Amino acid sequence: MKAKYRSRLADKRCDLGQAAPLGTPFVLIVDPASHCNFKCRFCPTGDLDLIETTGRYQGPMAFDTFKKIIDDLQEFSEPVKVLRLYKEGEPLMNKRFAEMVRYARSSDKIERIDTTTNGVLLTPKTSEKVIAAGIDQINISVNGLRNEQFAELVQTKVNFERYVENIKYLCSIKGDCEIYVKAIEENLSEDDRKRFLDIFGDVADRVFFEHLFPNWPGFESDIIPMECSVGLYGDEVLERSVCPYIFYSTTINSDGSVSLCVQDWARKLVVGSVAEESVRDIWLGRRLDAHRLSHLNGRRKSDPTCAQCQCMSLGVFDNIDSRAGEIKERLSSANHYRR
């Protein structure tokens, strides 16, 4: 097998406890589209009736909004390490996705650009445009090894043979772009997992079996286990008091609203809007800092959404609990805003 069996986590991670608070976020998550071509049973976006009750905008991000976000990054002293072009929808539902990558690539305030897609819209023409635009990494979520599996899990018809051929074509033209292909272990039999490795192991750069867990606060599904023995990447289950996400990343929804974190599918944790403020002003603003201080003071669960978040034990990879006091002291200093 040519591909490395390794998760998409970066090989080296910064000591967040020592670095926080950050004047510039390490990761900027921007959602190109909040709607999807799938109706996955394990994702709230797949439940259209549920999404309608939240009032959440369902559609692509306007290109002018995206340009404003990228232009705003000039206010930061350092570049963001990763621009992550996905959140809760299918990024390629935005017909200007390749243009978004190209515009972001022209910025000197972005080191890497990646995305996660279900891969069905990766036609040869689309793949050529996205690779030419300069993306650094494409993560592909494979939700079945047969047409019938796709129909059951994502409630959408997929021509699996054509799907595989399109992914192989992408891998053949990828250049320096890294291709990571993953599947959910709980959704596959032992034979399915072997077939997955046989199909994608010789074309992708990395392959991995991730684990299913209840990562969306307030959303339940009959196929999501409520108790898990391992985390997303097979790591140890360990409860944290302080959420690392809010100290190194910020999330911009497809309508330009800014959420506290990537798990805010129901828009209960909105802390600003790029239509009204710059990205930097929101990142360093009082609303975000109020949430950070609440966590540092041991009051994370005072917010109903954060209290329900299973990512704190199953889906985060940094542990800054023991550094809460010193981070709080630095956060309270005016020097924080000049870093």
Side-chain angles (χ1 to χ4, degrees):
M1 184 173 74
K2 183 196 79 171
K4 296 177 181 178
Y5 185 76
R6 196 166 67 200
S7 77
R8 56 181 148 178
L9 285 178
D11 296 328
K12 295 182 180 179
R13 295 182 72 83
C14 169
D15 184 343
L16 185 62
Q18 182 178 3
L22 303 173
T24 303
F26 286 157
V27 180
L28 177 64
I29 300 167
V30 178
D31 197 13
S34 55
H35 57 322
C36 190
N37 55 329
F38 280 5
K39 296 179 181 178
C40 296
R41 292 168 56 200
F42 47 84
C43 175
T45 300
D47 188 334
L48 300 183
D49 292 335
L50 175 64
I51 295 301
E52 187 175 356
T53 67
T54 69
R56 191 181 95 185
Y57 167 69
Q58 291 289 89
M61 174 176 280
F63 194 67
D64 284 346
T65 299
F66 182 75
K67 288 175 63 178
K68 198 263 185 185
I69 292 166
I70 301 304
D71 294 347
D72 278 357
L73 300 185
Q74 293 300 321
E75 296 183 6
F76 288 110
S77 59
E78 302 291 334
V80 299
K81 295 183 181 298
V82 181
L83 172 65
R84 191 146 285 159
L85 294 177
Y86 71 93
K87 182 180 181 246
E88 58 215 0
E90 166 52 48
L92 296 177
M93 292 286 281
N94 191 316
K95 295 181 180 180
R96 302 187 71 174
F97 180 79
E99 292 178 70
M100 297 170 83
V101 174
R102 188 179 300 279
Y103 191 80
R105 185 78 285 160
S106 69
S107 172
D108 62 355
K109 291 293 185 177
I110 299 168
E111 293 183 3
R112 285 180 59 81
I113 305 170
D114 73 21
T115 192
T116 294
T117 171
N118 59 45
V120 168
L121 299 179
L122 278 172
T123 63
K125 184 176 181 180
T126 296
S127 292
E128 289 166 4
K129 288 181 178 180
V130 174
I131 292 297
I135 199 164
D136 295 291
Q137 183 171 335
I138 299 175
N139 308 311
I140 302 173
S141 300
V142 175
N143 292 292
L145 274 298
R146 297 178 300 279
N147 294 345
E148 300 77 20
Q149 274 185 320
F150 274 95
E152 179 185 355
L153 288 171
V154 306
Q155 304 178 88
T156 305
K157 290 184 178 180
V158 173
N159 183 322
F160 184 70
E161 184 176 345
R162 183 186 305 152
Y163 176 71
V164 171
E165 289 305 311
N166 284 346
I167 293 175
K168 287 182 176 179
Y169 180 75
L170 168 67
C171 293
S172 74
I173 65 164
K174 71 183 185 64
D176 294 330
C177 176
E178 184 172 21
I179 308 298
Y180 171 82
V181 182
K182 61 95 170 178
I184 296 174
E185 183 168 312
E186 287 79 1
N187 290 342
L188 303 177
S189 68
E190 184 175 345
D191 287 343
D192 287 334
R193 293 194 289 272
K194 182 180 183 302
R195 187 177 181 217
F196 172 89
L197 296 175
D198 288 342
I199 293 173
F200 300 107
D202 287 330
V203 294
D205 296 295
R206 296 194 199 192
V207 292
F208 201 74
F209 295 119
E210 297 180 1
H211 290 272
L212 192 62
F213 72 97
N215 61 313
W216 303 107
F219 173 74
E220 296 182 2
S221 167
D222 60 348
I223 66 170
I224 298 178
M226 298 311 296
E227 294 186 8
C228 305
S229 59
V230 295
L232 174 61
Y233 296 126
D235 44 316
E236 179 186 8
V237 177
L238 179 65
E239 178 70 12
R240 280 88 163 172
S241 295
V242 183
C243 178
Y245 282 151
I246 62 177
F247 287 89
Y248 73 81
S249 68
T250 195
T251 301
I252 304 177
N253 302 309
S254 63
D255 62 355
S257 62
V258 179
S259 284
L260 181 65
C261 80
V262 71
Q263 307 307 138
D264 185 28
W265 66 272
R267 302 297 185 271
K268 294 183 177 181
L269 296 171
V270 172
V271 293
S273 170
V274 296
E276 301 169 2
E277 302 171 83
S278 71
V279 176
R280 182 180 184 275
D281 285 347
I282 296 170
W283 173 251
L284 300 177
R286 294 183 181 276
R287 285 162 295 185
L288 248 173
D289 274 355
H291 283 282
R292 293 176 181 133
L293 285 169
S294 178
H295 284 226
L296 293 171
N297 287 323
R299 297 198 302 269
R300 172 176 67 86
K301 293 187 178 181
S302 63
D303 184 286
T305 301
C306 291
Q308 296 177 67
C309 184
Q310 299 272 16
C311 280
M312 292 299 293
S313 59
L314 298 165
V316 297
F317 318 104
D318 303 283
N319 190 346
I320 58 176
D321 286 5
S322 65
R323 315 290 284 275
E326 59 187 272
I327 296 172
K328 179 182 175 181
E329 185 176 345
R330 291 195 295 265
L331 182 61
S332 300
S333 169
N335 289 333
H336 160 53
Y337 296 96
R338 294 195 290 271
R339 288 179 61 185

